[in-house]
Amino acid sequence: MTVPPPTAFTKSPGWLDWYPNPSRPRFVAPAGAVDAHCHVFGPGAEFPYAPERKYTPCDASKRQLYALRDHLGFARNVVVQATCHGADNRAMVDALIHSDGRARGVATVRRGVTDAQLESLHAAGVRGVRFNFLKRLVDFTPREELLEIAGRIAPLGWHVVVYFEAADLGELWDFFTALPTTVVVDHMGRPDVREPVDGPQFQRFVRLMREHPNVWSKVSCPERLSLSGPPALHGERNAYRDVVPFGRCLVEMFADRVLWGTDWPHPNLKDHMPDDGLLVDFIPHIAPSAEAQRRLLVDNPMRLYWPEET
Ligand code: 0GY
């Protein structure tokens, strides 16, 4: 029997690779646009996946990410640490330091992180930490541990990115509102888009943003939230319509606290893999005016990730 080398990883069953030949978007992003939510996976032979991971992805390298950035007409990326790398930030940091200053990052750190490690992450371009509350992605971390980490990163000017399901917001509310930093919510707090945008579930999220001006939202991942499903053909440019009212509501109400990202390479999608060109064409449906697009894609992410340039 041949024992595979320790760096050989087998993708989780049913894992879908990222879309190989994305179309060129019709929507032309404003100059300096930032893809504020994307990941790198490995490559596993260079940056092994974490032993505690809940899934094993396909490789998705920095080179492939930056080629996609150029193809989509974007200028910069925010690379968010993916759970398959645990708190080993090397792949993400490697992507940042090979970006010519065009990528910043969001890390995962544990309680024992040293000041020197935080400073080194900062020097590489990290500007936030991510707290993940999805049981299918991570094991439980006690809230006091997360609060301690938030207190450690606040003096660096970093923020906290939170990922949770809409149904859990009530239970997480006090924790989120106690955080001493800007708080960025992934994917609009994952609303159930079968419910109306003015229904209690999404309005609770709107209330969180209205009452807490330090809370921002990524108006991202229509492909993850949509129930109307993928476009029947990958030429159709009118996809994910059931998610539009949710994104549009947040863009209209909180124009200076919204971010957008591709979520490339789209972890854990089981039914279809989106054409990233179509995802870019979703933007004008949620941000119809040139001003809203500029704030969403340039002004807001620059203020959060490259404040020294604004
Ligand atoms: C996303 C969503 C997911 C996964 C991760 O870090 C991750 O593993 O973020 C997901 O499975 O919903 O934003 O990339």
Side-chain angles (χ1 to χ4, degrees):
M1 197 180 105
T2 316
V3 179
T7 51
F9 291 96
T10 305
K11 294 182 288 185
S12 296
W15 183 272
L16 296 179
D17 292 355
W18 39 275
Y19 200 79
N21 296 304
S23 59
R24 201 168 287 282
R26 289 192 190 153
F27 171 66
V28 178
V34 181
D35 174 354
H37 186 96
C38 50
H39 311 284
V40 287
F41 295 151
E46 198 179 350
F47 302 108
Y49 300 112
E52 73 272 25
R53 70 190 179 279
K54 306 285 185 198
Y55 63 83
T56 305
C58 62
D59 288 338
S61 72
K62 58 182 183 289
R63 185 180 54 75
Q64 291 158 329
L65 174 63
Y66 298 148
L68 179 74
R69 173 199 66 199
D70 295 345
H71 175 79
L72 297 178
F74 278 60
R76 304 183 193 223
N77 299 91
V78 178
V79 186
V80 177
Q81 174 75 355
T83 57
C84 56
H85 280 293
D88 176 354
N89 294 289
R90 282 177 300 166
M92 183 268 294
V93 163
D94 175 71
L96 303 189
I97 60 183
H98 290 97
S99 72
D100 293 325
R102 295 170 70 186
R104 290 248 149 116
V106 174
T108 295
V109 301
R110 308 274 185 241
R111 179 179 237 162
V113 68
T114 65
D115 287 341
Q117 286 167 331
L118 289 176
E119 279 158 28
S120 155
L121 288 169
H122 190 87
V126 171
R127 293 295 179 268
V129 291
R130 191 183 197 202
F131 295 163
N132 202 313
F133 299 91
L134 269 68
K135 293 175 195 69
R136 68 178 168 82
L137 291 176
V138 288
D139 293 328
F140 178 80
T141 307
R143 304 281 188 267
E144 66 269 18
E145 194 168 327
L146 297 177
L147 270 178
E148 187 183 311
I149 291 167
R152 297 273 310 285
I153 58 100
L156 293 165
W158 292 13
H159 59 274
V160 173
V161 172
V162 292
Y163 190 27
F164 61 94
E165 305 271 5
D168 297 330
L169 177 55
E171 186 251 314
L172 289 161
W173 184 284
D174 290 346
F175 172 73
F176 289 162
T177 56
L179 288 169
T181 62
T182 293
V183 177
V184 180
V185 177
D186 279 342
H187 318 330
M188 303 188 279
R190 289 198 64 123
D192 179 346
V193 300
R194 283 169 303 197
E195 295 199 11
V197 76
D198 57 358
Q201 187 193 71
F202 194 62
Q203 284 308 305
R204 181 166 64 174
F205 181 62
V206 168
R207 186 161 68 84
L208 177 74
M209 291 194 72
R210 200 174 45 231
E211 293 178 2
H212 299 278
N214 63 323
V215 178
W216 295 39
S217 179
K218 292 176 195 165
V219 287
S220 45
C221 277
E223 75 287 3
R224 216 175 264 292
L225 302 173
S226 179
L227 293 159
S228 63
L233 297 168
H234 277 293
E236 189 194 327
R237 313 206 76 83
N238 206 19
Y240 315 122
R241 292 316 298 262
D242 51 348
V243 187
V244 169
F246 296 84
R248 197 158 173 164
C249 168
L250 297 183
V251 168
E252 278 172 9
M253 290 189 73
F254 308 108
D256 59 351
R257 288 190 268 145
V258 281
L259 303 167
W260 183 88
T262 54
D263 196 28
W264 188 88
H266 310 288
N268 299 307
L269 290 183
K270 296 284 185 271
D271 299 326
H272 90 291
M273 183 51 60
D275 169 349
D276 296 278
L278 288 183
L279 290 179
V280 171
D281 280 346
F282 184 75
I283 295 170
H285 293 289
I286 58 170
S289 73
E291 189 196 338
Q293 291 159 9
R294 198 199 64 240
R295 291 168 96 172
L296 175 67
L297 298 172
V298 184
D299 298 355
N300 299 343
M302 288 301 291
R303 213 165 68 248
L304 197 58
Y305 289 98
W306 284 270
E308 71 281 7
E309 291 187 34
T310 58

